[in-house]
Amino acid sequence: MIIVMKGTATETDLQRVIQTVEELGYQPHVIRGTQRSVIGAIGDERGKARLQSLEAMPGVESVVPILQPFKLASREFKPTRTVVKVRDVEIGGDRVVVMAGPCSVENEDQILETARAVKEAGATILRGGAFKPRTSPYAFQGLGEEGLRLLAAAREETGLAIVTEVLKSEDVDMVAEIADMIQIGARNVQNFALLKRVGEVGKPVLLKRGMATTIQEFLMAAEYVLSEGTYDVVLCERGIRTFETATRFTLDLNAVPVLKKHSHLPVIVDPSHGTGHWEYVTPMAKAAIACGADGLMVEVHIRPEMAMSDGVQSLKPATFRRLMQEIAPFVEAAGRKL
Ligand code: PEP
Ligand code: MN
């Protein structure tokens, strides 16, 4: 349920309502607007009638149900768009944000050279996996803690913010200590224990859609993070499984306008995993911006042919520079800035 406060409600009114929501066994989530505040009362759907009685409390204008199963992620709860701040980078604002870097952090030279190159081309967030979810247990699993250290060194030198994936709950604190944004990968989008643990930490989260999750399931995954009190969540469309085999996945750009219709959270697109081939990355990056994406995540490697993971879909720095130039008119046409 959403409890909409009157424009004239006082702080005391608001606090009383919050306290009553808690007493009724619900979790209050407050949005303080410029005109009025609203409180999301999240909990068991069956007790809704008791919350309705809050309409009689001082300062309360109305109590209305949130119809969508995802509550805090919904635009019913928060009609205005959310802007997620990662260090000084704003995702979901005027600018289209580009995150770029290698699939895996491999060594110091590789990550530093890549970081310098993507920064020079205009990326503002450096990506790179230290913990890698690989299909084969025999494939490179990432440098782990050493990878995190190298990412921190790259941030130190370039000033780029860093986003990196966490695979398991036990590693969340270690990753959160270094990362500016914590990535939850496609394979973990319904790892509810991990979603909750990451939500407890409070760092911005990049949540990737699973290759077999519906848009509703994806938003329910975001809801897990939000319900723990972390409101800085960015959604990432990265391709789904279909019958098509010419590309690694099918980049479901439908998801961008659908997610933005139903949710206030920023939406970015990963055309690297979405296509699985470097040649298709730039065209789909343009398409992503045209359909309203708030940003891109692109894999870049200084020597893709030597990459420990996802070399085929990685752009060389020069190609990435071209991508940044080629998307510029699309960014402008979408009414955004780079
Ligand atoms: C990645 O970003 O390198 C990655 C593993 O992505 P996804 O979880 O979308 O497969
Ligand atoms: Mn990858």
Side-chain angles (χ1 to χ4, degrees):
M1 299 290 259
I2 309 173
I3 299 139
V4 184
M5 301 300 289
K6 289 181 178 151
T8 53
T10 64
E11 183 61 30
T12 316
D13 295 338
L14 183 74
Q15 291 306 329
R16 280 209 194 100
V17 173
I18 291 172
Q19 199 187 331
T20 313
V21 166
E22 280 170 344
E23 281 165 11
L24 289 173
Y26 288 81
Q27 213 187 51
H29 293 263
V30 185
I31 302 180
R32 292 170 188 270
T34 44
Q35 306 293 322
R36 62 185 68 231
S37 296
V38 300
I39 303 159
I42 307 299
D44 193 340
E45 289 283 282
R46 289 167 299 183
K48 279 194 301 210
R50 283 186 301 167
L51 284 169
Q52 200 72 51
S53 62
L54 265 64
E55 240 162 8
M57 288 186 72
V60 174
E61 180 157 297
S62 58
V63 179
V64 286
I66 305 175
L67 299 175
Q68 298 282 12
F70 42 89
K71 308 291 179 189
L72 302 171
S74 76
R75 287 195 86 170
E76 292 172 73
F77 174 56
K78 182 172 181 283
T80 59
R81 301 226 63 86
T82 289
V83 175
V84 171
K85 211 157 171 237
V86 180
R87 280 165 84 88
D88 56 353
V89 181
E90 290 188 343
I91 308 172
D94 274 355
R95 289 181 191 278
V96 168
V97 172
V98 180
M99 314 178 181
C103 180
S104 305
V105 180
E106 298 170 8
N107 57 62
E108 186 162 351
D109 287 348
Q110 175 243 16
I111 194 66
L112 286 178
E113 247 186 81
T114 312
R116 289 181 203 121
V118 299
K119 180 179 178 170
E120 202 183 301
T124 47
I125 299 182
L126 176 67
R127 64 144 287 142
F131 297 94
K132 295 304 303 177
R134 303 304 301 280
T135 303
S136 165
Y138 310 122
F140 177 59
Q141 306 283 310
L143 295 181
E145 207 168 348
E146 168 68 0
L148 295 176
R149 199 187 61 72
L150 295 178
L151 283 168
R155 171 178 53 205
E156 180 80 24
E157 192 195 301
T158 60
L160 291 169
I162 54 180
V163 57
T164 194
E165 181 168 354
V166 67
L167 289 186
K168 55 186 204 290
S169 299
E170 303 90 286
D171 292 343
V172 168
D173 289 328
M174 187 210 302
V175 172
E177 204 172 305
I178 303 260
D180 299 302
M181 183 176 219
I182 303 175
Q183 178 172 328
I184 295 187
R187 291 154 191 82
N188 267 319
V189 69
Q190 289 190 310
N191 180 340
F192 302 117
L194 182 64
L195 293 169
K196 283 196 209 174
R197 189 68 255 286
V198 166
E200 280 167 17
V201 172
K203 276 257 163 115
V205 173
L206 178 67
L207 181 62
K208 297 189 92 176
R209 180 181 180 185
M211 58 194 84
T213 41
T214 63
I215 289 172
Q216 178 159 319
E217 287 164 344
F218 186 24
L219 286 169
M220 293 307 289
E223 189 74 14
Y224 266 91
V225 180
L226 297 166
S227 68
E228 293 298 327
T230 293
Y231 302 120
D232 290 335
V233 177
V234 174
L235 306 169
C236 179
E237 163 59 38
R238 49 76 73 209
I240 54 173
R241 272 272 158 80
T242 66
F243 54 81
E244 186 52 72
T245 54
T247 49
R248 185 178 179 192
F249 295 99
T250 297
L251 189 63
D252 179 20
L253 289 183
N254 289 351
V256 177
V258 176
L259 288 168
K260 292 186 95 167
K261 176 181 173 179
H262 294 298
S263 177
H264 53 85
L265 297 172
V267 181
I268 72 161
V269 169
D270 169 357
S272 302
H273 292 86
T275 62
H277 200 286
W278 71 270
E279 277 179 290
Y280 309 138
V281 171
T282 300
M284 295 317 286
K286 293 173 183 171
I289 290 164
C291 71
D294 297 302
L296 299 170
M297 172 175 256
V298 179
E299 287 189 339
V300 178
H301 197 286
I302 45 173
R303 278 178 290 278
E305 64 287 355
M306 309 280 282
M308 309 282 279
S309 60
D310 288 351
V312 184
Q313 69 196 32
S314 297
L315 301 185
K316 291 179 182 166
T319 321
F320 177 65
R321 222 173 303 133
R322 247 185 340 265
L323 173 147
M324 292 299 286
Q325 288 158 2
E326 287 186 30
I327 61 173
F330 290 84
V331 171
E332 197 185 331
R336 312 287 286 264
K337 286 189 236 150
L338 251 183

